[in-house]
């Protein structure tokens, strides 16, 4: 009898969740106020990190900016301070666990408890697997995935003590489905997605309803990170590289609406679902038609040419 009651309740929850999602698709969701919150952003010196900083500043959040590039991080800080918020910068390599923990302690002592954590830092090796130095492969896994563990362990305890906070994981559509020649990136982003989803479930199991999570999975963003990546030209206009500002603005809408996951653009939900529902060969046939199976080859070639030209100059 208990099982039947639980099954009925589950079906009611399922129906409510589906209907709520459908309604929110057509109606503008209520956005929360984050004025005065303390937001930490990793990779704040990069294109997306800088835009995230400015968008959070526009909402009145005070900022803690982390990046391994001091100059780029300070440039972001200057722009954010013009919007009238407090900004604190720290030079941190998020792959160094002890450095993350020590700097986190410094942030708590100097600034206060972080209530919004945006794990944005990301890298890609840009080499084919057998041509890629092990150090570059390791760095992709460390920055894109392992660092999420250190960052979360550093800042989640304070969120849990207040049952208040928000953790944002900037992953990728390539954490939901794959393409060739970027094994390091796909593996690390799949790991990021798995980490984020398991963490979300843990918070739910602990009844930490005040701590929200948002998983961001964008298509290729035109930041230069995947410069040269191209799908079939006949369909390129349907799925062009995303503009960085658009990507961040769509992400912010999801964050402020406490949306658990967003794929940008929404077309990215299709290959995500197809991967689970269709046979492997059916998905491969689609990838080949779209040019997705070889889309990274021009990008890899550009990286090789840059490294070759750099080697010549240094010689």
């Amino acid at each position: 009898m208990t099982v039947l009651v639980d099954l009925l309740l589950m079906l009611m929850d399922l129906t409510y969740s589906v209907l709520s999602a459908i309604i929110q698709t057509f109606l503008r969701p209520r956005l929360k106020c984050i004025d005065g919150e303390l937001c930490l952003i990793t990779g704040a010196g990069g294109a997306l990190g800088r835009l995230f900083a400015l968008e959070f500043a526009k909402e009145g959040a005070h900022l803690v900016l982390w990046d391994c590039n001091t100059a780029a991080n300070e440039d972001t800080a200057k722009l954010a301070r013009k919007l009238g918020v407090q900004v604190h910068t720290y030079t941190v390599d998020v792959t160094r666990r002890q450095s993350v923990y020590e700097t986190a302690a410094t942030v708590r002592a100097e600034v206060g408890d972080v209530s919004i954590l945006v794990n944005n830092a990301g890298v890609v090796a840009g080499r084919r697997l057998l041509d890629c130095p092990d150090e570059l492969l390791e760095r992709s896994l460390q920055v894109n995935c392992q660092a999420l563990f250190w960052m979360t362990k550093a800042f989640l305890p304070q969120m849990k003590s207040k049952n208040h906070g928000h953790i944002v994981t900037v992953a990728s559509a390539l954490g939901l489905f794959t393409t060739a020649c970027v094994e390091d990136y796909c593996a690390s982003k799949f790991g990021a997605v798995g980490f984020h989803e398991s963490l979300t479930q843990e918070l739910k199991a602990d009844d930490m309803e005040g701590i929200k999570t948002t998983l961001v999975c964008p298509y290729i963003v035109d930041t230069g990170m995947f410069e040269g990546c191209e799908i079939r030209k006949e369909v390129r206009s349907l799925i062009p590289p995303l503009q960085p500002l658009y990507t961040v603005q769509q992400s912010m809408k999801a964050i402020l609406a406490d949306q658990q996951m967003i794929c940008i653009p929404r077309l990215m939900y299709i290959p995500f679902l197809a991967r689970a529902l269709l046979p492997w060969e059916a998905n491969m046939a689609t990838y080949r038609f779209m040019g997705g199976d070889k889309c990274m080859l021009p990008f890899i070639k550009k990286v090789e040419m840059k490294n070759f030209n750099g080697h010549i100059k240094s010689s």
Side-chain angles (χ1 to χ4, degrees):
M1 188 64 181
T2 303
V3 173
L4 292 177
V5 172
D6 287 344
L7 177 61
L8 180 60
L9 291 174
M10 182 272 289
L11 291 174
M12 291 172 62
D13 285 342
L14 188 151
T15 303
Y16 173 78
S17 299
V18 171
L19 290 175
S20 295
I22 293 172
I23 292 171
Q24 289 178 12
T25 300
F26 296 101
L27 298 180
R28 184 176 180 180
R30 182 181 299 175
L31 304 182
K32 66 182 179 183
C33 175
I34 58 170
D35 185 53
E37 300 280 358
L38 186 60
C39 173
L40 188 152
I41 302 169
T42 64
L48 291 184
R50 180 166 298 169
L51 290 170
F52 268 118
L54 297 178
E55 291 299 315
F56 274 104
K58 289 176 185 176
E59 296 294 330
H62 301 301
L63 302 176
V64 176
L65 306 180
W66 284 21
D67 201 287
C68 60
N69 185 325
T70 303
N73 206 26
E74 290 297 337
D75 288 342
T76 299
K78 289 177 184 176
L79 294 172
R81 289 188 181 108
K82 292 179 181 178
L83 297 174
V85 298
Q86 298 175 19
V87 184
H88 306 266
T89 59
Y90 297 85
T91 301
V92 191
D93 182 348
V94 294
T95 67
R96 298 182 179 275
R97 181 180 64 234
Q98 197 57 37
S99 178
V100 168
Y101 292 160
E102 289 173 358
T103 309
T106 302
V107 169
R108 286 193 293 273
E110 295 179 350
V111 188
D113 291 337
V114 169
S115 55
I116 303 174
L117 173 60
V118 182
N119 286 311
N120 165 74
V123 297
V124 63
R127 309 276 187 89
R128 299 191 71 154
L129 178 62
L130 298 183
D131 299 328
C132 188
D134 293 346
E135 294 77 13
L136 290 182
L137 295 173
E138 288 177 338
R139 182 156 183 79
S140 292
L141 293 168
Q142 290 167 348
V143 173
N144 299 348
C145 185
Q146 286 184 8
L148 304 181
F149 289 80
W150 320 144
M151 295 298 298
T152 303
K153 288 188 71 175
F155 294 103
L156 181 58
Q158 290 71 41
M159 294 184 190
K160 293 187 76 171
S161 68
K162 300 175 181 178
N163 192 19
H164 175 74
H166 201 133
I167 297 176
V168 180
T169 302
V170 181
S172 170
L174 291 179
L176 304 173
F177 54 87
T178 62
T179 189
C181 301
V182 280
E183 290 87 349
D184 62 304
Y185 192 77
C186 288
S188 61
K189 290 301 185 179
F190 263 77
V193 170
F195 169 83
H196 179 95
E197 291 186 350
S198 181
L199 174 64
T200 300
Q201 292 188 27
E202 179 177 332
L203 292 171
K204 292 285 186 183
D206 289 343
D207 293 324
M208 289 289 156
E209 296 295 334
I211 304 176
K212 309 300 182 181
T213 64
T214 300
L215 176 64
V216 179
C217 294
Y219 177 59
I220 302 300
V221 184
D222 191 14
T223 61
M225 187 176 187
F226 288 98
E227 184 182 0
C229 172
E230 294 179 347
I231 59 174
R232 185 172 182 165
K233 63 180 180 180
E234 290 87 354
V235 296
R236 209 171 295 161
S237 60
L238 294 175
I239 320 177
L242 297 170
Q243 290 301 308
L245 181 58
Y246 172 80
T247 304
V248 171
Q249 288 176 338
Q250 292 300 305
S251 301
M252 286 298 296
K253 289 179 182 178
I255 294 165
L256 297 178
D258 288 334
Q259 186 174 329
Q260 284 88 355
M261 176 183 178
I262 181 171
C263 289
I264 311 171
R266 287 183 177 175
L267 277 174
M268 291 299 104
Y269 287 108
I270 296 175
F272 172 45
L273 292 172
R275 182 177 183 273
L277 298 175
L278 297 180
W280 173 261
E281 285 301 329
N283 282 301
M284 288 304 299
T286 306
Y287 288 173
R288 286 193 294 270
F289 171 77
M290 299 286 290
D293 57 332
K294 297 180 180 178
C295 66
M296 289 294 174
L297 294 181
F299 158 64
I300 299 291
K301 188 172 183 180
K302 275 185 175 288
V303 172
E304 289 174 347
M305 288 301 297
K306 285 181 181 179
N307 291 332
F308 178 73
N309 292 335
H311 178 71
I312 291 177
K313 288 179 182 179
S314 63
S315 299

